[in-house]
Amino acid sequence: MRAPKSFAVVVRRRDGSLQVRERAMVDGRQGVARWPLVRGVMSLVESLRLGSEALRFSADQLEKDWIADESAQGPQGSKPEKRAAGAKGLGVLGAFGLALVSMVTADDGAPVQSSGAGRKLGTWLMLLVAVSLFVALPQGAAAGINRLLGLNLEVQSPAFQAITGAFKLTIVVGYLLLIRRVPDIRRVFQYHGAEHKTISTYEANEALTVENARAKTTMHPRCGTTFLVMVALVSILVFITIGQALPRIHTGSAVLDNVAFFLEKLPFLPLIAAVTFEIQRVLQKITTAEPDDAQLEVALASLRVTLFRQEQGQASEVNDDVAFASYDALLGAERLRAA
């Protein structure tokens, strides 16, 4: 969870305890970093760095659980066997999904197990797979349809781009639907749903309890890509598709033609907004899943710690990690009573 002045990560350990890492945040978006367009890039970079930190923290806790299990089982429980068992249900699609996340959130400060050359090779391979799947494949599919149906469309024509966009959307949504069936990825989507329920509970000014959060929906209007950006993307697809069907405009002036076309498009905007809203809900239904109470406790704990740090406004250095036996224990901690 991220607030303007605080950041917290909570991980559920295998023994059921909650491992907490928290720190205050300093807003680095000053001067040029606050300029339009620049601030968007800065926000993205910060999100990737915080995501990298959260992933490394989670991986560290998993490693500790593996070591604890091996120690309890004695010499027979080797680490390679334990790791293979833990990754058994991941599958190729899920592994690719997690690898993409790992690739885009890695930074120079992250501890790595492989050599620099090996890491760079893996990054380039994942980038190649991603470009092939989400860029080259839709383009190739559109070219195939163009040739098969004898459409004779130019590559840069609106119709050809519309076909390419349709294939791209189908591939992306289909990929998400497929990896949703992977148990490990589904747990990620469950935690995504727990996050939404927790935020909705807070925004409703209700106590941050599992009972209150459980009743909330996994949908949230501010999830993922902003609504206005999605409206813009959908409008491009819509007008590429129906633009040729609208009354032709020939005023003799390029300026007047643009103004007239703008006025022609206005009646479609409410419909585009409505369609975008439904698309957003469909995508959230894919990337969120109903969490269990234990997952809700993790999300609630993260938000509660974040709010405490936000109100305290302490220094920005990382504090020592703290473990709590349960969510109730975290709520009863003296350091969080003020929250």
Side-chain angles (χ1 to χ4, degrees), residues 208-231:
L208 297 179
T209 64
V210 172
E211 291 72 19
N212 289 336
R214 189 189 299 127
K216 299 296 185 290
T217 177
T218 58
M219 305 293 104
H220 197 279
R222 296 192 304 277
C223 174
T225 307
T226 65
F227 184 73
L228 289 178
V229 171
M230 290 188 66
V231 168

Side-chain angles (χ1 to χ4, degrees), residues 4-332:
K5 297 180 181 179
S6 59
F7 172 65
V9 186
V10 177
V11 174
R12 173 79 71 179
R13 297 289 298 275
R14 188 166 296 178
D15 61 5
S17 64
L18 299 176
Q19 194 75 21
V20 177
R21 170 172 292 181
E22 57 160 323
R23 62 182 171 92
M25 295 290 294
V26 176
D27 189 0
R29 290 170 291 182
Q30 304 294 333
V32 176
R34 297 181 64 88
W35 290 6
L37 300 181
V38 176
R39 60 192 177 192
V41 175
M42 297 299 294
S43 179
L44 176 61
V45 170
E46 181 186 69
S47 296
L48 294 180
R49 290 185 63 85
L50 293 179
S52 174
E53 180 179 339
L55 284 174
R56 294 199 306 271
F57 179 59
S58 177
D60 288 343
Q61 305 313 307
L62 180 60
E63 182 77 13
K64 291 178 181 178
D65 283 338
W66 275 335
I67 293 174
D69 288 347
E70 292 159 9
S71 298
Q73 293 183 5
Q76 291 77 14
S78 63
K79 180 178 291 188
E81 292 174 353
K82 294 297 293 181
R83 294 190 178 187
K88 183 178 181 180
L90 187 58
V92 175
L93 291 174
F96 173 59
L98 290 181
L100 282 177
V101 173
S102 177
M103 178 184 70
V104 299
T105 58
D107 60 29
D108 294 337
V112 294
Q113 301 299 325
S114 58
S115 65
R119 185 185 181 190
K120 290 181 179 179
L121 176 61
T123 298
W124 282 107
L125 286 176
M126 293 309 304
L127 182 60
L128 176 63
V129 172
V131 171
S132 300
L133 183 61
F134 299 124
V135 179
L137 182 58
Q139 185 82 18
I145 289 295
N146 189 30
R147 187 181 307 109
L148 179 65
L149 300 181
L151 300 177
N152 297 320
L153 299 172
E154 295 182 0
V155 174
Q156 293 179 310
S157 67
F160 187 90
Q161 294 305 313
I163 295 173
T164 302
F167 274 114
K168 183 179 298 184
L169 182 61
T170 300
I171 291 171
V172 170
V173 174
Y175 171 73
L176 291 174
L177 287 171
L178 283 175
I179 65 172
R180 181 185 171 89
R181 300 177 63 86
V182 178
D184 294 295
I185 301 298
R186 182 172 177 80
R187 282 188 60 80
V188 173
F189 290 169
Q190 284 181 297
Y191 275 115
H192 190 192
E195 173 198 359
H196 286 179
K197 284 173 172 278
T198 296
I199 295 298
S200 295
T201 303
Y202 172 72
E203 291 176 339
N205 292 319
E206 299 178 7
L208 297 179
T209 64
V210 172
E211 291 72 19
N212 289 336
R214 189 189 299 127
K216 299 296 185 290
T217 177
T218 58
M219 305 293 104
H220 197 279
R222 296 192 304 277
C223 174
T225 307
T226 65
F227 184 73
L228 289 178
V229 171
M230 290 188 66
V231 168
L233 293 175
V234 172
S235 68
I236 291 173
L237 295 176
V238 168
F239 293 120
I240 283 177
T241 304
I242 69 173
Q244 299 298 319
L246 295 175
R248 307 301 297 172
I249 300 172
H250 298 287
T251 66
S253 168
V255 174
L256 291 178
D257 284 351
N258 279 283
V259 172
F261 188 58
F262 170 76
L263 295 176
E264 263 191 344
K265 294 190 296 182
L266 284 180
F268 292 91
L269 295 183
L271 175 62
I272 291 172
V275 171
T276 303
F277 180 79
E278 297 305 322
I279 292 175
Q280 188 179 42
R281 289 184 63 85
V282 170
L283 292 177
Q284 285 193 54
K285 286 183 179 295
I286 297 174
T287 62
T288 64
E290 193 66 33
D292 57 31
D293 287 356
Q295 291 170 316
L296 280 175
E297 287 183 345
V298 173
L300 289 165
S302 182
L303 178 58
R304 192 170 182 88
V305 172
T306 302
L307 293 175
F308 172 80
R309 173 67 72 177
Q310 173 76 11
E311 293 175 0
Q312 296 299 307
Q314 298 174 14
S316 61
E317 66 271 8
V318 177
N319 291 347
D320 293 336
D321 301 335
V322 181
F324 297 92
S326 65
Y327 183 56
D328 288 338
L330 183 146
L331 293 180

